[in-house]
C-alpha cells in the first residue's frame, strides 16, 4: 500500500526568537513510500536529490525501522519537493520528518 506524507517548509529564524519561534509555510515536500518485494531501495520522481542509501528520507526511515526491529523487504520512495534547498526553509528537516513518519506508517498499512 502506497502511503503519502505532506511536510511543510518552516522558518525558525523569526526576529528575536531565533531558533525558538517559527512558522510553517505554504511550501511542501510530498513523500510517497511503499514496501515492495523488489530491490531494497528504489526511487521514483524528480532526480534533483541524492538517490542512494545516503538519501535523508531513506536514512530517517532506516533509523525508525532499526529502532522497531523491522526489516522491510524493499522500499520505494517518490519525492515531490517544492521546498528550495539551501534557502533556510527547512528542506532537510522536511525530508527527515517525512521519512520518519512514513516509516512509522508503512508496517501498519
Amino acid at each position: 500500500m502506497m502511503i503519502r506524507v505532506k511536510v511543510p517548509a518552516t522558518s525558525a529564524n523569526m526576529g528575536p526568537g531565533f531558533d525558538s519561534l517559527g512558522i510553517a509555510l505554504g511550501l511542501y515536500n510530498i513523500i510517497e513510500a511503499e514496501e515492495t518485494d523488489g530491490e531494497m531501495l528504489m526511487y521514483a520522481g524528480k532526480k534533483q536529490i541524492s538517490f542512494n542509501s545516503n538519501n535523508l528520507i531513506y536514512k530517517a526511515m532506516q533509523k525508525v525501522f532499526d529502532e522497531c526491529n523491522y526489516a522491510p523487504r524493499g522500499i520505494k520512495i517518490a519525492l515531490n519537493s517544492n521546498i528550495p534547498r539551501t534557502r533556510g526553509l527547512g528542506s532537510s528537516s522536511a525530508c527527515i520528518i517525512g521519512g520518519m513518519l512514513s516509516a512509522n506508517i508503512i508496517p501498519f498499512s
Side-chain angles (χ1 to χ4, degrees):
M1 171 193 275
M2 174 77 69
I3 59 107
R4 186 177 198 180
V5 175
K6 186 174 178 181
V7 185
T10 61
S11 175
N13 298 321
M14 302 297 295
F18 182 76
D19 283 345
S20 63
L21 295 176
I23 57 172
L25 303 172
L27 298 169
Y28 298 89
N29 273 357
I30 299 170
I31 299 168
E32 294 178 336
E34 68 181 320
E35 188 170 7
T36 66
D37 289 325
E39 300 175 40
M40 181 52 200
L41 183 59
M42 299 179 347
Y43 290 99
K46 298 177 183 177
K47 300 291 183 197
Q48 64 184 13
I49 58 172
S50 122
F51 286 110
N52 56 45
S53 61
N54 290 320
N55 175 276
L56 281 177
I57 298 168
Y58 175 74
K59 287 171 74 171
M61 292 176 85
Q62 194 59 53
K63 283 270 193 195
V64 172
F65 292 146
D66 290 346
E67 205 50 46
C68 297
N69 294 320
Y70 184 76
R73 298 179 304 276
I75 296 292
K76 180 178 180 182
I77 300 169
L79 171 64
N80 181 0
S81 178
N82 295 303
I83 303 174
R85 294 184 295 169
T86 68
R87 300 286 189 256
L89 297 176
S91 63
S92 296
S93 299
C95 287
I96 293 167
I97 294 301
M100 293 174 72
L101 183 57
S102 298
N104 273 296
I105 297 169
I106 284 177
F108 304 108
S109 56

